[in-house]
Amino acid sequence: MSKGKLFISFILITFGALYIFGFTSVLNVIVDGNYQLEEQNIIEKNGEHYLLLDGYELSLSRDFYMKIELDKTNEYKIKYAYNRLNNKNGEIVMLKKYGEQPWGK
């Protein structure tokens, strides 16, 4: 294969990869808001915890699950991400008690 054809092939593959990456990146959505949680918002399936918000089933890491203390407060600031292609699934990327400061109480 000549150097010219190899270079053109490299350029086409690079643009194709960038196009696919850009297309999937555009479909990623991040939502940030304040939510009042209740027991029915938290479910467990196969040993994993999920949070039901805005019609989405969002995976909840163990650390975030341990932060939820509904007996003390039910207001939380939550940020979650999902991909429009993956209809109703996403993940919690930030969870803290409403009004909690990053440097502590």
Side-chain angles (χ1 to χ4, degrees):
M1 187 179 259
S2 71
K3 289 182 181 181
K5 287 183 180 181
L6 188 61
F7 180 72
I8 296 294
S9 298
F10 175 74
I11 296 295
L12 289 175
I13 290 171
T14 302
F15 279 121
L18 288 174
Y19 178 77
I20 291 170
F21 176 74
F23 181 72
T24 57
S25 294
V26 168
L27 295 175
N28 287 334
V29 178
I30 296 177
V31 179
D32 188 3
N34 299 324
Y35 295 91
Q36 289 190 349
L37 300 181
E38 298 179 14
E39 284 291 327
Q40 61 261 26
N41 292 106
I42 303 168
I43 61 171
E44 183 179 350
K45 284 201 263 186
N46 301 325
E48 300 289 326
H49 291 94
Y50 296 89
L51 196 57
L52 302 176
L53 290 177
D54 299 333
Y56 293 98
E57 190 173 287
L58 307 164
S59 65
L60 190 61
S61 71
R62 179 164 171 72
D63 291 338
F64 288 147
Y65 177 73
M66 299 305 288
K67 282 186 174 184
I68 298 174
E69 298 173 333
L70 295 179
D71 56 333
K72 293 182 180 178
T73 184
N74 68 344
E75 289 189 61
Y76 290 86
K77 183 160 181 65
I78 298 173
K79 185 184 292 186
Y80 65 89
Y82 68 94
N83 189 295
R84 292 181 189 157
L85 291 177
N86 193 0
N87 289 341
K88 295 293 181 184
N89 298 323
E91 68 176 322
I92 301 293
V93 293
M94 190 267 304
L95 182 141
K96 64 181 180 178
K97 294 175 187 164
Y98 181 75
E100 182 180 70
Q101 301 300 323
W103 54 83
K105 296 179 182 176

mmCIF file with all atom_site columns, all heavy atoms in Angstrom, residues 56-68:
data_model
loop_
_atom_site.group_PDB
_atom_site.id
_atom_site.type_symbol
_atom_site.label_atom_id
_atom_site.label_alt_id
_atom_site.label_comp_id
_atom_site.label_asym_id
_atom_site.label_entity_id
_atom_site.label_seq_id
_atom_site.pdbx_PDB_ins_code
_atom_site.Cartn_x
_atom_site.Cartn_y
_atom_site.Cartn_z
_atom_site.occupancy
_atom_site.B_iso_or_equiv
_atom_site.pdbx_formal_charge
_atom_site.auth_seq_id
_atom_site.auth_comp_id
_atom_site.auth_asym_id
_atom_site.auth_atom_id
_atom_site.pdbx_PDB_model_num
ATOM 1   N N   . TYR A 1 56 ? -36.089 7.883  36.023 1.00 0.00 ? 56 TYR A N   1
ATOM 2   C CA  . TYR A 1 56 ? -34.865 7.150  35.713 1.00 0.00 ? 56 TYR A CA  1
ATOM 3   C C   . TYR A 1 56 ? -34.470 6.257  36.880 1.00 0.00 ? 56 TYR A C   1
ATOM 4   O O   . TYR A 1 56 ? -34.677 6.604  38.036 1.00 0.00 ? 56 TYR A O   1
ATOM 5   C CB  . TYR A 1 56 ? -33.700 8.110  35.416 1.00 0.00 ? 56 TYR A CB  1
ATOM 6   C CG  . TYR A 1 56 ? -33.909 8.899  34.160 1.00 0.00 ? 56 TYR A CG  1
ATOM 7   C CD1 . TYR A 1 56 ? -34.408 10.191 34.217 1.00 0.00 ? 56 TYR A CD1 1
ATOM 8   C CD2 . TYR A 1 56 ? -33.634 8.343  32.920 1.00 0.00 ? 56 TYR A CD2 1
ATOM 9   C CE1 . TYR A 1 56 ? -34.622 10.917 33.055 1.00 0.00 ? 56 TYR A CE1 1
ATOM 10  C CE2 . TYR A 1 56 ? -33.841 9.056  31.762 1.00 0.00 ? 56 TYR A CE2 1
ATOM 11  C CZ  . TYR A 1 56 ? -34.339 10.345 31.834 1.00 0.00 ? 56 TYR A CZ  1
ATOM 12  O OH  . TYR A 1 56 ? -34.549 11.049 30.685 1.00 0.00 ? 56 TYR A OH  1
ATOM 13  N N   . GLU A 1 57 ? -33.899 5.125  36.555 1.00 0.00 ? 57 GLU A N   1
ATOM 14  C CA  . GLU A 1 57 ? -33.355 4.203  37.551 1.00 0.00 ? 57 GLU A CA  1
ATOM 15  C C   . GLU A 1 57 ? -31.845 4.422  37.556 1.00 0.00 ? 57 GLU A C   1
ATOM 16  O O   . GLU A 1 57 ? -31.138 3.973  36.667 1.00 0.00 ? 57 GLU A O   1
ATOM 17  C CB  . GLU A 1 57 ? -33.703 2.769  37.162 1.00 0.00 ? 57 GLU A CB  1
ATOM 18  C CG  . GLU A 1 57 ? -33.396 1.770  38.214 1.00 0.00 ? 57 GLU A CG  1
ATOM 19  C CD  . GLU A 1 57 ? -33.909 0.394  37.832 1.00 0.00 ? 57 GLU A CD  1
ATOM 20  O OE1 . GLU A 1 57 ? -35.117 0.172  37.875 1.00 0.00 ? 57 GLU A OE1 1
ATOM 21  O OE2 . GLU A 1 57 ? -33.050 -0.449 37.464 1.00 0.00 ? 57 GLU A OE2 1
ATOM 22  N N   . LEU A 1 58 ? -31.366 5.114  38.571 1.00 0.00 ? 58 LEU A N   1
ATOM 23  C CA  . LEU A 1 58 ? -29.982 5.558  38.610 1.00 0.00 ? 58 LEU A CA  1
ATOM 24  C C   . LEU A 1 58 ? -29.168 4.705  39.569 1.00 0.00 ? 58 LEU A C   1
ATOM 25  O O   . LEU A 1 58 ? -29.561 4.533  40.730 1.00 0.00 ? 58 LEU A O   1
ATOM 26  C CB  . LEU A 1 58 ? -29.926 7.022  39.053 1.00 0.00 ? 58 LEU A CB  1
ATOM 27  C CG  . LEU A 1 58 ? -30.810 7.968  38.240 1.00 0.00 ? 58 LEU A CG  1
ATOM 28  C CD1 . LEU A 1 58 ? -30.992 9.279  38.956 1.00 0.00 ? 58 LEU A CD1 1
ATOM 29  C CD2 . LEU A 1 58 ? -30.230 8.167  36.863 1.00 0.00 ? 58 LEU A CD2 1
ATOM 30  N N   . SER A 1 59 ? -28.049 4.182  39.105 1.00 0.00 ? 59 SER A N   1
ATOM 31  C CA  . SER A 1 59 ? -27.212 3.361  39.980 1.00 0.00 ? 59 SER A CA  1
ATOM 32  C C   . SER A 1 59 ? -26.614 4.235  41.078 1.00 0.00 ? 59 SER A C   1
ATOM 33  O O   . SER A 1 59 ? -26.224 5.378  40.857 1.00 0.00 ? 59 SER A O   1
ATOM 34  C CB  . SER A 1 59 ? -26.123 2.637  39.190 1.00 0.00 ? 59 SER A CB  1
ATOM 35  O OG  . SER A 1 59 ? -25.225 3.551  38.637 1.00 0.00 ? 59 SER A OG  1
ATOM 36  N N   . LEU A 1 60 ? -26.573 3.668  42.265 1.00 0.00 ? 60 LEU A N   1
ATOM 37  C CA  . LEU A 1 60 ? -26.158 4.385  43.456 1.00 0.00 ? 60 LEU A CA  1
ATOM 38  C C   . LEU A 1 60 ? -24.985 3.640  44.068 1.00 0.00 ? 60 LEU A C   1
ATOM 39  O O   . LEU A 1 60 ? -25.124 2.490  44.488 1.00 0.00 ? 60 LEU A O   1
ATOM 40  C CB  . LEU A 1 60 ? -27.347 4.436  44.421 1.00 0.00 ? 60 LEU A CB  1
ATOM 41  C CG  . LEU A 1 60 ? -27.301 5.294  45.651 1.00 0.00 ? 60 LEU A CG  1
ATOM 42  C CD1 . LEU A 1 60 ? -27.134 6.756  45.283 1.00 0.00 ? 60 LEU A CD1 1
ATOM 43  C CD2 . LEU A 1 60 ? -28.579 5.125  46.446 1.00 0.00 ? 60 LEU A CD2 1
ATOM 44  N N   . SER A 1 61 ? -23.820 4.272  44.110 1.00 0.00 ? 61 SER A N   1
ATOM 45  C CA  . SER A 1 61 ? -22.644 3.613  44.682 1.00 0.00 ? 61 SER A CA  1
ATOM 46  C C   . SER A 1 61 ? -22.849 3.411  46.181 1.00 0.00 ? 61 SER A C   1
ATOM 47  O O   . SER A 1 61 ? -23.688 4.051  46.808 1.00 0.00 ? 61 SER A O   1
ATOM 48  C CB  . SER A 1 61 ? -21.383 4.445  44.440 1.00 0.00 ? 61 SER A CB  1
ATOM 49  O OG  . SER A 1 61 ? -21.405 5.609  45.242 1.00 0.00 ? 61 SER A OG  1
ATOM 50  N N   . ARG A 1 62 ? -22.066 2.539  46.749 1.00 0.00 ? 62 ARG A N   1
ATOM 51  C CA  . ARG A 1 62 ? -22.178 2.260  48.188 1.00 0.00 ? 62 ARG A CA  1
ATOM 52  C C   . ARG A 1 62 ? -21.905 3.513  49.014 1.00 0.00 ? 62 ARG A C   1
ATOM 53  O O   . ARG A 1 62 ? -22.586 3.774  49.996 1.00 0.00 ? 62 ARG A O   1
ATOM 54  C CB  . ARG A 1 62 ? -21.213 1.136  48.574 1.00 0.00 ? 62 ARG A CB  1
ATOM 55  C CG  . ARG A 1 62 ? -21.244 0.798  50.050 1.00 0.00 ? 62 ARG A CG  1
ATOM 56  C CD  . ARG A 1 62 ? -20.590 -0.541 50.336 1.00 0.00 ? 62 ARG A CD  1
ATOM 57  N NE  . ARG A 1 62 ? -20.424 -0.798 51.738 1.00 0.00 ? 62 ARG A NE  1
ATOM 58  C CZ  . ARG A 1 62 ? -21.401 -1.094 52.584 1.00 0.00 ? 62 ARG A CZ  1
ATOM 59  N NH1 . ARG A 1 62 ? -22.631 -1.153 52.153 1.00 0.00 ? 62 ARG A NH1 1
ATOM 60  N NH2 . ARG A 1 62 ? -21.147 -1.332 53.856 1.00 0.00 ? 62 ARG A NH2 1
ATOM 61  N N   . ASP A 1 63 ? -20.922 4.310  48.605 1.00 0.00 ? 63 ASP A N   1
ATOM 62  C CA  . ASP A 1 63 ? -20.601 5.538  49.332 1.00 0.00 ? 63 ASP A CA  1
ATOM 63  C C   . ASP A 1 63 ? -21.792 6.499  49.339 1.00 0.00 ? 63 ASP A C   1
ATOM 64  O O   . ASP A 1 63 ? -22.121 7.071  50.377 1.00 0.00 ? 63 ASP A O   1
ATOM 65  C CB  . ASP A 1 63 ? -19.385 6.233  48.722 1.00 0.00 ? 63 ASP A CB  1
ATOM 66  C CG  . ASP A 1 63 ? -18.101 5.458  48.947 1.00 0.00 ? 63 ASP A CG  1
ATOM 67  O OD1 . ASP A 1 63 ? -18.056 4.638  49.896 1.00 0.00 ? 63 ASP A OD1 1
ATOM 68  O OD2 . ASP A 1 63 ? -17.152 5.657  48.183 1.00 0.00 ? 63 ASP A OD2 1
ATOM 69  N N   . PHE A 1 64 ? -22.423 6.686  48.190 1.00 0.00 ? 64 PHE A N   1
ATOM 70  C CA  . PHE A 1 64 ? -23.580 7.573  48.134 1.00 0.00 ? 64 PHE A CA  1
ATOM 71  C C   . PHE A 1 64 ? -24.757 6.988  48.917 1.00 0.00 ? 64 PHE A C   1
ATOM 72  O O   . PHE A 1 64 ? -25.491 7.719  49.580 1.00 0.00 ? 64 PHE A O   1
ATOM 73  C CB  . PHE A 1 64 ? -23.997 7.846  46.690 1.00 0.00 ? 64 PHE A CB  1
ATOM 74  C CG  . PHE A 1 64 ? -23.046 8.742  45.945 1.00 0.00 ? 64 PHE A CG  1
ATOM 75  C CD1 . PHE A 1 64 ? -22.843 8.579  44.592 1.00 0.00 ? 64 PHE A CD1 1
ATOM 76  C CD2 . PHE A 1 64 ? -22.353 9.752  46.583 1.00 0.00 ? 64 PHE A CD2 1
ATOM 77  C CE1 . PHE A 1 64 ? -21.975 9.396  43.885 1.00 0.00 ? 64 PHE A CE1 1
ATOM 78  C CE2 . PHE A 1 64 ? -21.476 10.585 45.898 1.00 0.00 ? 64 PHE A CE2 1
ATOM 79  C CZ  . PHE A 1 64 ? -21.293 10.405 44.547 1.00 0.00 ? 64 PHE A CZ  1
ATOM 80  N N   . TYR A 1 65 ? -24.923 5.686  48.836 1.00 0.00 ? 65 TYR A N   1
ATOM 81  C CA  . TYR A 1 65 ? -26.015 5.041  49.582 1.00 0.00 ? 65 TYR A CA  1
ATOM 82  C C   . TYR A 1 65 ? -25.838 5.268  51.083 1.00 0.00 ? 65 TYR A C   1
ATOM 83  O O   . TYR A 1 65 ? -26.803 5.541  51.794 1.00 0.00 ? 65 TYR A O   1
ATOM 84  C CB  . TYR A 1 65 ? -26.064 3.545  49.262 1.00 0.00 ? 65 TYR A CB  1
ATOM 85  C CG  . TYR A 1 65 ? -27.109 2.808  50.054 1.00 0.00 ? 65 TYR A CG  1
ATOM 86  C CD1 . TYR A 1 65 ? -28.457 2.968  49.761 1.00 0.00 ? 65 TYR A CD1 1
ATOM 87  C CD2 . TYR A 1 65 ? -26.751 1.962  51.093 1.00 0.00 ? 65 TYR A CD2 1
ATOM 88  C CE1 . TYR A 1 65 ? -29.423 2.298  50.496 1.00 0.00 ? 65 TYR A CE1 1
ATOM 89  C CE2 . TYR A 1 65 ? -27.702 1.287  51.826 1.00 0.00 ? 65 TYR A CE2 1
ATOM 90  C CZ  . TYR A 1 65 ? -29.040 1.462  51.521 1.00 0.00 ? 65 TYR A CZ  1
ATOM 91  O OH  . TYR A 1 65 ? -29.994 0.808  52.248 1.00 0.00 ? 65 TYR A OH  1
ATOM 92  N N   . MET A 1 66 ? -24.611 5.193  51.567 1.00 0.00 ? 66 MET A N   1
ATOM 93  C CA  . MET A 1 66 ? -24.339 5.384  52.990 1.00 0.00 ? 66 MET A CA  1
ATOM 94  C C   . MET A 1 66 ? -24.554 6.838  53.428 1.00 0.00 ? 66 MET A C   1
ATOM 95  O O   . MET A 1 66 ? -24.790 7.098  54.600 1.00 0.00 ? 66 MET A O   1
ATOM 96  C CB  . MET A 1 66 ? -22.913 4.935  53.332 1.00 0.00 ? 66 MET A CB  1
ATOM 97  C CG  . MET A 1 66 ? -22.640 3.456  53.065 1.00 0.00 ? 66 MET A CG  1
ATOM 98  S SD  . MET A 1 66 ? -23.768 2.340  53.884 1.00 0.00 ? 66 MET A SD  1
ATOM 99  C CE  . MET A 1 66 ? -23.234 2.517  55.560 1.00 0.00 ? 66 MET A CE  1
ATOM 100 N N   . LYS A 1 67 ? -24.489 7.784  52.502 1.00 0.00 ? 67 LYS A N   1
ATOM 101 C CA  . LYS A 1 67 ? -24.707 9.189  52.835 1.00 0.00 ? 67 LYS A CA  1
ATOM 102 C C   . LYS A 1 67 ? -26.184 9.522  53.071 1.00 0.00 ? 67 LYS A C   1
ATOM 103 O O   . LYS A 1 67 ? -26.490 10.523 53.699 1.00 0.00 ? 67 LYS A O   1
ATOM 104 C CB  . LYS A 1 67 ? -24.197 10.093 51.710 1.00 0.00 ? 67 LYS A CB  1
ATOM 105 C CG  . LYS A 1 67 ? -22.725 10.287 51.688 1.00 0.00 ? 67 LYS A CG  1
ATOM 106 C CD  . LYS A 1 67 ? -22.383 11.308 50.612 1.00 0.00 ? 67 LYS A CD  1
ATOM 107 C CE  . LYS A 1 67 ? -20.917 11.653 50.633 1.00 0.00 ? 67 LYS A CE  1
ATOM 108 N NZ  . LYS A 1 67 ? -20.608 12.712 49.667 1.00 0.00 ? 67 LYS A NZ  1
ATOM 109 N N   . ILE A 1 68 ? -27.070 8.697  52.543 1.00 0.00 ? 68 ILE A N   1
ATOM 110 C CA  . ILE A 1 68 ? -28.501 8.979  52.672 1.00 0.00 ? 68 ILE A CA  1
ATOM 111 C C   . ILE A 1 68 ? -28.960 8.609  54.072 1.00 0.00 ? 68 ILE A C   1
ATOM 112 O O   . ILE A 1 68 ? -28.855 7.466  54.497 1.00 0.00 ? 68 ILE A O   1
ATOM 113 C CB  . ILE A 1 68 ? -29.318 8.212  51.609 1.00 0.00 ? 68 ILE A CB  1
ATOM 114 C CG1 . ILE A 1 68 ? -28.895 8.657  50.210 1.00 0.00 ? 68 ILE A CG1 1
ATOM 115 C CG2 . ILE A 1 68 ? -30.805 8.416  51.820 1.00 0.00 ? 68 ILE A CG2 1
ATOM 116 C CD1 . ILE A 1 68 ? -29.529 7.868  49.093 1.00 0.00 ? 68 ILE A CD1 1
#
